[in-house]
Amino acid sequence: MKPTVGITTKIFAISVSVLLLLLIIAISTHLKIRTINTEVKYLAEHILPTVRLIDEATINMLEQEVHVERLLKLYHSPQTSNNSVDHEREQLELHFQRANRSLLAAEQLLAQALVAMPVWLSDTLTGNSIEGVIKVREENHQYHERAVFLIQHLDDETLTNVKEVELKLATAENELNRDAENVLSHLQNFAITTAQQAERHQEAILWQNLVLSVIAILVGLIYAGFLSRKLSQPVRELNEQVCRALEAKDYQDVTARSNDEVALLTSRFNLAMTTLRRSEQFKDMFGQYLDPRLISQLESNVVSVNLDGERQRVTVILSNLEGLTLRSGALNPEQLVMLINRYLEIQLSASSEYRGILNFTLTEILSFWTHPFSEQQQQSDHACHMLLAQIQGVGQFKDFLAQSEPHIFANDELEFRAGLASGDLVVANMGPSGARAFTVIGDEVNAASRLKGVARFFAINAVLSDEIVQSLSDKFVVRPLGWVKVPGKEDPIKTWHLMGYQKDLSQGQLNALAIFNEAFNKFEQRDFAAASQGFQQYLLETPEDSVTVKFIELCQQLSVQASHEDRLIQWEIGQK
């Protein structure tokens, strides 16, 4: 739709006008700042060093005059040592040379300053400054020559008019001091004047920026008021339509009431309506088997989900509460449904924060982690967190049974078994239209089921595959169970027992676990006698550990059999 009212053009005109004013401010400010920088740089590089050099020369000339006066006093004194006279002569010559070098350097800097001087400062600093420095340097030479002449003739006592020469030397000293002070005063006045001028430029920048900024604000307000009147009516009409649509939750497209840029805004709103409709479809599709926070993530995630099936890296838990359905004969159907729902409610609420996707059949729960709901490097940790939360939930359910159905279930009749595996699986939305399930299919689901059978074999809660343990963080404590040959798998599986959180185990338990691990290492090295001894030591610390009992029995069997050096030692499990 092509707009007929040029709202875009008006907005562009406002922007251009304000930007032009800002550009004028920026250019003017830049020029003024360049002027200030030039003045400050000129002072720092030329005038201030020159003032410092002339100041140093003046100090050395004064020192020179002091040493001349001391020499004259020494010659007029009846008791004078040659060492004192020689020292004063050396100091006289030293300060003369220093003053001369400083004046020469100042003369060169002033010559450079005249060349580099900004045009607007040319009236305040002229060649007279260099001439003044040259004059001071020449007067310093003359003063030095007269002082040396006087001292030499006092030495050989050939000078008859000493007083007259001393008077001329004093006159030359006064002229030298006066001229040096004039040159220094002139340069200092020039530096002060230039600094004041830079300060005036800075104040001018502030006032100029203030005036232009006020003008830019006024222009923007005038244009904005004009444009708001042109926009308000069609926008108000669009807002009324949108409110009616949202209140009725009728996410249908709205109709544009104008033929301008607001019509384009209406089309964008219609795209938002399309997104809302898609969001509702996601909620209908995932709401029954996905945590609401994950649904929100799906809604905001730019990554789409391929519902037709996609092979991904997936972590899977298959768990079951064994014994509940076996006693179903003692319950009527309503009681059984109530207990199963109670168990699922406890388990799903306990594990909802760990970002898993859940499917369940009676008390068997299939949980899996896949992209985009969880990152691959976090899947193992999320799964183990959830397993431990489910184990804790079983304890809560047993407490509930002890209160509600104590005459039907004994506390040791219900056992939680779970297997956890990871691998490449197909993630898909399966089933006929209207009755679909978002689930996974593949060999690792079978592997998780077999690991659940391993947990039953060892009479423990949770068994992990080696792939899970390799990517697991150090928050969790696991112990090795060895290689297990399970039904339906040609190759044995390396398995581990999830024992809990590192922070929840005492130091004594960790020390005992170290004994178990050492015994297991002996077992793998086929030192069955030492392994059996280590397992028995561990059993003293944990008398009811069924895993250790099985290892002791296996060590005893293998100790009396032939050598096992040529084959892998593995557990043989005949049931799922």
Side-chain angles (χ1 to χ4, degrees), residues 283-328:
K283 289 180 180 179
D284 293 340
M285 185 174 300
F286 294 108
Q288 297 182 3
Y289 49 81
L290 195 62
D291 188 286
R293 289 170 294 182
L294 297 183
I295 297 176
S296 300
Q297 179 182 342
L298 255 185
E299 291 175 0
S300 60
N301 204 325
V302 296
V303 181
S304 61
V305 179
N306 185 356
L307 299 178
D308 294 330
E310 181 179 3
R311 183 170 290 275
Q312 294 186 16
R313 190 71 177 177
V314 182
T315 298
V316 180
I317 295 177
L318 194 63
S319 65
N320 190 22
L321 182 63
E322 298 177 348
L324 182 62
T325 56
L326 293 178
R327 298 301 302 270
S328 59

Side-chain angles (χ1 to χ4, degrees), residues 13 69 85 101 121 224 231 272 274 280 302 307 356 366 384 441 464:
E69 292 176 1
V85 172
R101 284 196 299 269
L121 298 177
L231 279 173
T274 302
E280 290 300 311
V302 296
L307 299 178
L366 172 65
C384 287
I441 298 176
L464 317 180

Side-chain angles (χ1 to χ4, degrees), residues 79-91:
Q79 296 179 350
T80 301
S81 66
N82 292 331
N83 291 335
S84 298
V85 172
D86 292 339
H87 173 72
E88 293 299 331
R89 283 183 174 181
E90 290 175 0
Q91 292 297 315

Side-chain angles (χ1 to χ4, degrees), residues 555-574:
C555 286
Q556 292 172 352
Q557 294 174 13
L558 296 175
S559 296
V560 299
Q561 293 178 6
S563 175
H564 304 276
E565 297 292 336
D566 297 332
R567 68 182 181 87
L568 180 68
I569 299 177
Q570 59 189 26
W571 299 94
E572 298 284 347
I573 297 180

